[in-house]
Amino acid sequence: MKFNFLKTTLASVLLLGVSVGSASAGIIGFDTTYAFKLVADNDFALFSGTESKIEDLLFQNNLTWMDQTKQNNTQFTYNSASQNSYIYILALGGGGQQENISGMINGVKITDVNPLWHRFTISNTVLPGSTPSNIASGAYSVKISDLNNLINNSTAPFWSDTPLVQNSTQTVIQRAGFGAGYTMPENNGLLLKYQVQDFNINARAVAPDAASVPTPSTFAIFLLGLMGLGFARLRKAAP
């Protein structure tokens, strides 16, 4: 009987230790689906990344702007434990006077939040393989490595935080139906940078409340108390 009680006590202590360790361990993320709709004249792509680097392609457009306006909301999956706490939007103009981007991510218009941004002239040197015709048709697919080279090889400060001027009069922006968008000169690209929380996207799982997780000192006190009760019961049961 003594042995059984001692075994039960030790098992309880070990179980408590496991539960405390589990509560303070790393949080496992979960995938969540978000909806977006972007319309650009002429092409766009959506990425996630860290503060300094684009990491993953979330969506690559392959439609003309006319077909983009007809497309239903598109979805992408984001893992809550992802280190990618930034959303990047690349808009590319394929020529003409309607170079722009407008849209919505997770119910938030991209013009409702002031992004960091960089505007550049499109060329084969900057974006190898890009031409006005394949950008205009949606046939061009940008490489993440090319965008990171663009960011890293800039001699001047790359990102601007000056609020972009919004436009609500261009035909494509009006046809897109979001009320306003951002414009750029002909044959230019516009790279926008947002934090994921700007669109109410959870990039990291929320850690447990510290008050609900026993500290090592609390655990030690509880352990001593449990052991004391065990030995007291053993002495009382002794003949």
Side-chain angles (χ1 to χ4, degrees), residues 30 58 140 142 144 157 163 187:
F30 54 89
L58 299 176
Y140 172 70
V142 66
I144 292 177
N187 291 320

Side-chain angles (χ1 to χ4, degrees), residues 107-123:
V108 179
K109 294 179 182 178
I110 64 172
T111 51
D112 284 349
V113 185
N114 290 324
L116 295 176
W117 58 273
H118 179 82
R119 191 161 49 221
F120 60 96
T121 301
I122 299 172
S123 69

Side-chain angles (χ1 to χ4, degrees), residues 18-82:
V18 169
S19 65
V20 171
S22 299
S24 58
I27 309 303
I28 298 175
F30 54 89
D31 290 336
T32 307
T33 301
Y34 298 97
F36 76 94
K37 185 172 183 180
L38 297 170
V39 176
D41 187 14
N42 293 105
D43 204 0
F44 72 88
L46 182 67
F47 306 88
S48 66
T50 64
E51 184 176 9
S52 59
K53 186 178 181 181
I54 297 174
E55 296 282 359
D56 297 311
L57 175 68
L58 299 176
F59 183 83
Q60 172 68 62
N61 169 69
N62 60 1
L63 300 174
T64 65
W65 74 262
M66 294 83 77
D67 290 329
Q68 292 170 35
T69 60
K70 302 171 187 176
Q71 187 181 44
N72 294 328
N73 285 346
T74 306
Q75 297 180 332
F76 66 92
T77 301
Y78 212 101
N79 187 279
S80 62
S82 173

Side-chain angles (χ1 to χ4, degrees), residues 133-212:
S133 60
N134 62 14
I135 289 174
S137 64
Y140 172 70
S141 296
V142 66
K143 293 182 179 179
I144 292 177
S145 58
D146 291 338
L147 290 179
N148 283 325
N149 286 335
L150 175 65
I151 295 172
N152 295 328
N153 294 335
S154 177
T155 56
F158 186 82
W159 298 107
S160 173
D161 59 1
T162 303
L164 281 165
V165 176
Q166 298 184 19
N167 184 289
S168 59
T169 61
Q170 282 192 355
T171 302
V172 175
I173 291 177
Q174 290 182 340
R175 290 278 296 275
F178 299 103
Y182 297 127
T183 61
M184 50 194 169
E186 185 176 357
N187 291 320
N188 267 228
L190 181 64
L191 186 60
L192 305 172
K193 178 181 178 181
Y194 299 86
Q195 295 189 57
V196 293
Q197 55 260 39
D198 292 336
F199 301 113
N200 301 317
I201 295 173
N202 296 317
R204 298 301 303 272
V206 178
D209 185 353
S212 65

